[in-house]
Amino acid sequence: MENSLETNLAPAPLQQEDAQQILQIAMARREESGELTRDQLAEMAMELGISPEDLRAAELEWQSRKVELTEKQMFDQQRRQKFRQDLIKYAIVNSFLLVLNLVTTQGVAFALTIALLWGLGLTLQGWRTFQTEGDAYEKAFSRWRLKKQLGSSLGTIADRVLKGMQS
């Protein structure tokens, strides 16, 4: 049975996408048994006809994507943390207003109005927080990244100025 399977697969040419998927599966199996060395990676690339320059460029792109993925995870974590804090504030303030409203007026109209309006805004914030795709997400991530980079740059400049003043 195995021979008939090999016979059926052997003559058919592979599409590039199919070849990539087969190689990914093979790489995953190889990774299960241990790590690849740079030499093994270079050898595989050479066997596939990938030039050393293309391999270096691909590695740089991979590193860049890995850094961006890590930053996006940090960004998402900060957004979720801020949303949780805002949700807790909402619960505390509206609980207080509800009790105050019940004690003072025997009704809940005032507290309910605030809870509904604030809740609408909080719901929209939650939707934005957990939406991790699209233009709005990418713009928010870019702004966060730029703010983080500017903060880091300003911190470095301040450190240099303070060190210069101490010298």
Side-chain angles (χ1 to χ4, degrees):
M1 184 118 188
E2 289 181 31
N3 290 340
S4 65
L5 183 60
E6 290 176 13
T7 307
N8 289 339
L9 291 177
L14 293 173
Q15 297 293 324
Q16 183 175 356
E17 185 176 320
D18 296 336
Q20 287 176 345
Q21 290 176 0
I22 291 168
L23 289 172
Q24 285 176 344
I25 292 169
M27 292 288 291
R29 287 183 175 199
R30 188 171 189 169
E31 288 175 4
E32 288 174 5
S33 63
E35 295 180 354
L36 289 174
T37 65
R38 285 202 177 283
D39 291 339
Q40 289 172 324
L41 183 62
E43 182 181 320
M44 290 173 65
M46 190 168 54
E47 289 175 6
L48 293 170
I50 299 171
S51 71
E53 295 80 24
D54 287 340
L55 181 61
R56 277 191 290 278
E59 186 176 3
L60 289 173
E61 183 178 335
W62 171 77
Q63 288 173 343
S64 174
R65 287 181 184 178
K66 190 174 177 181
V67 166
E68 183 174 328
L69 178 62
T70 302
E71 288 179 337
K72 281 187 176 183
Q73 289 171 341
M74 288 172 45
F75 173 65
D76 293 342
Q77 182 180 7
Q78 285 182 0
R79 283 172 48 145
R80 286 190 298 270
Q81 184 177 5
K82 183 180 180 333
F83 178 68
R84 276 191 297 269
Q85 290 171 348
D86 290 348
L87 196 58
I88 290 169
K89 288 177 195 174
Y90 171 82
I92 292 169
V93 170
N94 282 295
S95 296
F96 172 76
L97 289 176
L98 180 63
V99 169
L100 182 67
N101 206 203
L102 284 172
V103 169
T104 59
T105 63
Q106 304 295 321
V108 294
F110 174 71
L112 189 58
T113 303
I114 291 175
L116 288 174
L117 291 174
W118 190 353
L120 176 63
L122 196 58
T123 301
L124 293 173
Q125 179 188 352
W127 182 74
R128 282 190 311 268
T129 297
F130 293 100
Q131 183 70 25
T132 58
E133 294 178 356
D135 290 339
Y137 175 81
E138 292 300 326
K139 286 178 184 177
F141 172 68
S142 294
R143 282 192 308 271
W144 174 84
R145 191 183 218 182
L146 180 61
K147 187 176 177 181
K148 185 178 144 196
Q149 289 170 347
L150 284 173
S152 176
S153 297
L154 291 175
T156 303
I157 291 170
D159 286 344
R160 288 181 184 170
V161 168
L162 288 174
K163 284 181 184 178
M165 293 173 84
Q166 292 174 353
S167 298

